[in-house]
Amino acid sequence: MSEHDSQDIDLQEEAGARFHRGSALSIFMSDRHEDFIALIFALAVAFGVYILVK
């Protein structure tokens, strides 16, 4: 694999537009799993702010 190919490993194409979806070296099994973990962290932060401001 050439250096150019390695940079395109996470390249996606949709409706004619090309974009990177994020790092190809993700620690998560899927995008859905990553989103779920992010939601849990966001809820934890919101709860912490709620408790500290209350």
Side-chain angles (χ1 to χ4, degrees):
M1 183 180 295
S2 70
E3 184 177 329
H4 179 69
D5 292 338
S6 67
Q7 292 178 3
D8 290 340
I9 197 166
D10 63 339
L11 194 62
Q12 301 291 318
E13 189 166 342
E14 184 176 314
R18 296 177 77 183
F19 60 94
H20 289 272
R21 294 198 62 197
S23 175
L25 301 175
S26 178
I27 62 171
F28 300 101
M29 293 179 282
S30 68
D31 287 342
R32 185 177 301 262
H33 189 234
E34 183 177 0
D35 292 342
F36 185 69
I37 298 298
L39 177 62
I40 290 172
F41 278 121
L43 290 172
V45 168
F47 183 72
V49 169
Y50 175 76
I51 295 299
L52 292 174
V53 173
K54 186 176 176 183

